[in-house]
Amino acid sequence: MSTHLFVSESLGRYGFPEGHPLSVDRQGAFLRAACLRGLERRVTLAEAAAASREAITRFHTAEYIDRVIDASRRGDGYLDYGDTPAFAGCYEVGAHVVGAALEGARRIMAGEARRSFQPIGGLHHARRAGAAGFCVFNDPGVLIETLRAEHGVRRIAYVDIDVHHGDGVFYEFEDDPDLVCVDIHEDGRFLYPGTGAAHETGSGTAEGTKLNLALLPGAGDGEFLRAWEKAERFLQEAQPEFFIFQCGADGLAGDPLADLQLTAAAHRHAAQRLVALAERHARGRLMAFGGGGYSLENLSMAWCAVLEVLVEPL
């Protein structure tokens, strides 16, 4: 089947201690909803080994990886300033998240899959030298570097509709002219991480390759669709070779950490248009990542809407 869905026991362990907004039951909630819709019969269910330290080092510094390994062995403390607790095995679980991204890319580039979905992935806040915002390792960042180092892909589009600005990808590739970045998020004046202003369009030779589209608190599908029109024109002009889609579900109405009022229809629309763009410009090559979402009902609806699009016949 052309769409590979990456789920496993190891991936399901990505989450933090009881009471933390990012819990370990997110994969299970999504899978139950997907099975009720019969989606598991329309995908290739896939697993992946943990990424090697060498692969993770393509994006993250060796010093930071050492810190994660040490914290993983201790099983306590924080990897950042209070949002991202360490837990026993956090290095191994984080490496599995990265490994799923890299295996998805390998299969797509080898022609074994056309598209992939990694619901436990899209950890877009981690920086090269540190954790942030519930993200141990930045799997999209490692993926981008690996697509270039191993697969010869240069022109990549990173499209992020998580309610929080994807700062770990945006700023670490801010001066990269071949990373086309489109980020639709709640205005950073009102929400973590406080970044993603419209005037930030890339730096140096990359100026004009990044697009930030901020929505005011309370914005719904109408405002999202108007922003999406700008995003699609931008992507159409960029003509990338490969698409990465971070489809965080925390912009849906009722999410406990944000204030947008989207429905799953916004995610469905974005997925449909990205599939069309990928077919037109990138030989269909598209990887989707679940990202954030702190209502199990919401993330199940949004991620199922995306997966339904990914498995539709061409």
Side-chain angles (χ1 to χ4, degrees), residues 76-215:
D76 60 11
Y78 284 87
L79 298 171
D80 56 8
Y81 296 103
D83 286 332
T84 314
F87 57 89
C90 61
Y91 172 77
E92 290 76 14
V93 173
H96 268 97
V97 175
V98 176
L102 301 188
E103 176 62 11
R106 187 201 66 76
R107 294 186 186 195
I108 289 172
M109 295 305 298
E112 298 171 17
R114 195 169 189 84
R115 300 183 280 268
S116 73
F117 186 36
Q118 280 85 352
I120 305 302
L123 305 179
H124 60 172
H125 293 307
R127 305 297 283 266
R128 293 186 188 270
F134 316 160
C135 303
V136 176
F137 293 132
N138 191 319
D139 50 313
V142 181
L143 170 61
I144 291 164
E145 298 289 11
T146 301
L147 283 169
R148 289 166 171 179
E150 290 194 353
H151 303 292
V153 178
R154 295 301 308 170
R155 189 76 165 168
I156 300 167
Y158 175 76
V159 182
D160 191 326
I161 65 170
D162 192 290
V163 78
H164 302 96
H165 182 241
D167 57 329
V169 176
F170 187 93
Y171 295 112
E172 298 296 0
F173 293 94
E174 187 177 18
D175 59 354
D176 185 331
D178 290 321
L179 194 282
V180 178
C181 186
V182 172
D183 200 305
I184 303 176
H185 52 274
E186 186 173 333
D187 195 313
R189 293 174 297 174
F190 306 99
L191 192 70
Y192 178 91
T195 57
H199 66 81
E200 296 178 287
T201 62
S203 63
T205 60
E207 186 174 352
T209 63
K210 314 292 187 280
L211 179 65
N212 281 310
L213 297 165
L215 304 178

